[in-house]
Amino acid sequence: MLGLKLPTDPRWVNIVEMNIDDILSDHAFCEQKAASTAISLIVSFPEYTELVQEMIALVKEEISHFKLVHDKIIARGNALGYDRKDDYVNKLLKFFPKGGSRTTQLVHRLLYAALIEARSCERFRLLSQELKDEELRIFYHNLMVSEANHYTMFLGFARKYGDETEVNEKWQSLLDFEAEIMKDLSKQQSIHG
């Protein structure tokens, strides 16, 4: 369904289980960054009314996910850790060249967002199936469903606002690039790394 070219190494879950508190903090910041991305799209492309409406809803949803994760952190007797750089996202953002028309910039940002959401969904599925902690398995299952909807929304907007054939070609190229990135990841205690 997600079209990812390289699945996460299942051993990543072992890293997660040994570092669950770090993962939860990293996850909380991923949700915050997702809300920030939606706000940035509103600010950068206000003329796209349907996109703005969906991004408003997404901001609310992502910040509610942040709160859910933060509540899990508190329930475990911890405080939110510090934000760390996301090697996955930083490497991914190097794929498309900077600049171009406003439409091209919008399409590229939508494709990046779609892929990040798709990878998050895939990771959440893995956690929902493999974590030993039943409460966290259920928690990640519920988030997985939401992330799948985000992925399809971003990809749908990219296809709506850009030339669909060109968008599909860019999407496949981005998926190939992401698979190469993933070969070096899945070894860290982070949602994407």
Side-chain angles (χ1 to χ4, degrees):
M1 171 186 99
L2 299 170
L4 298 171
K5 303 285 176 102
L6 184 68
T8 295
D9 184 329
R11 294 174 294 181
W12 174 75
V13 176
N14 299 331
I15 295 168
V16 169
E17 293 206 297
M18 292 185 293
N19 302 280
I20 194 66
D21 294 326
D22 287 339
I23 289 288
L24 287 170
S25 280
D26 184 65
H27 178 187
F29 282 111
C30 288
E31 299 292 354
Q32 175 270 317
K33 290 171 190 171
S36 294
T37 295
I39 291 169
S40 177
L41 286 167
I42 292 168
V43 171
S44 298
F45 303 98
E47 68 272 25
Y48 293 91
T49 303
E50 185 181 359
L51 177 68
V52 169
Q53 289 293 96
E54 288 297 323
M55 292 303 102
I56 291 167
L58 185 61
V59 169
K60 292 177 184 177
E61 185 178 347
E62 296 290 15
I63 209 66
S64 75
H65 291 173
F66 175 87
K67 179 168 177 19
L68 288 172
V69 179
H70 189 246
D71 288 347
K72 284 270 182 237
I73 292 168
I74 293 169
R76 296 174 66 85
N78 296 309
L80 181 64
Y82 291 98
D83 188 18
R84 298 176 292 191
K85 69 177 185 161
D86 190 328
D87 289 336
Y88 168 80
V89 172
N90 290 334
K91 289 177 181 180
L92 195 65
L93 293 178
K94 293 178 181 174
F95 181 70
F96 291 122
K98 301 283 184 220
S101 71
R102 283 182 54 73
T103 302
T104 297
Q105 291 175 39
L106 173 60
V107 165
H108 291 173
R109 288 178 64 181
L110 291 168
L111 291 176
Y112 283 139
L115 186 47
I116 292 166
E117 294 287 351
R119 181 57 70 184
S120 296
C121 179
E122 186 252 4
R123 291 275 171 110
F124 293 168
R125 180 192 55 77
L126 196 56
L127 294 174
S128 76
Q129 294 172 342
E130 302 296 331
L131 282 174
K132 292 179 183 129
D133 183 317
E134 183 179 356
E135 182 183 331
L136 285 175
R137 278 198 321 267
I138 293 167
F139 178 71
Y140 279 106
H141 173 78
N142 293 335
L143 288 173
M144 173 191 69
V145 173
S146 179
E147 299 300 328
N149 292 332
H150 300 168
Y151 144 74
T152 56
M153 175 191 61
F154 282 119
L155 191 54
F157 276 128
R159 288 174 173 148
K160 177 178 181 170
Y161 298 133
D163 175 77
E164 189 168 351
T165 302
E166 185 178 314
V167 168
N168 288 338
E169 289 171 4
K170 287 181 177 188
W171 177 243
Q172 289 306 312
S173 296
L174 184 59
L175 287 168
D176 291 337
F177 181 75
E178 194 258 3
E180 290 301 313
I181 292 172
M182 290 306 296
K183 287 179 182 177
D184 293 330
L185 297 177
S186 298
K187 301 172 183 119
Q188 300 175 17
Q189 61 270 18
S190 65
I191 290 295
H192 296 123

